[in-house]
Amino acid sequence: SFIAVLTPPEAATRYFGFYELTGKATAFLGPALVGTLTLGAAGGLAESQVEPEIARGLALDMGMLAIPGLLLVGLIALQRVKEPTF
């Protein structure tokens, strides 16, 4: 709903098209980043002296760190948006 407030009526299709495009990109980027971090952490922990079950859990936890990271990037980007006054 915030994008509807920000969008000028004459450019609504352009703004909502870009909004849809970013939604499609993040729908791919999030799971890819989670998988990459999990796989990287699993590879690093496989060489350590940690028990396999604990290493698996730690690798999954490391992968899930992508979610707050993406939320933080979105929060930082949203701080630059000026809310219009009416």
Side-chain angles (χ1 to χ4, degrees):
S1 63
F2 187 57
I3 194 168
V5 172
L6 294 175
T7 304
E10 65 275 1
T13 56
R14 186 178 329 142
Y15 278 61
F16 280 97
F18 183 69
Y19 177 69
E20 179 65 24
L21 179 67
T22 57
K24 298 273 187 200
T26 56
F28 166 75
L29 180 65
L33 190 56
V34 168
T36 302
L37 286 176
T38 303
L39 189 60
L45 290 170
E47 300 170 1
S48 68
Q49 299 297 325
V50 179
E51 294 181 30
E53 287 140 9
I54 295 174
R56 187 178 312 125
L58 287 174
L60 292 172
D61 290 344
M62 294 297 289
M64 288 295 133
L65 285 177
I67 296 170
L70 288 173
L71 288 172
L72 183 63
V73 168
L75 179 65
I76 291 169
L78 196 57
Q79 294 298 315
R80 302 183 71 194
V81 175
K82 305 255 188 296
E83 186 174 356
T85 57
F86 297 103

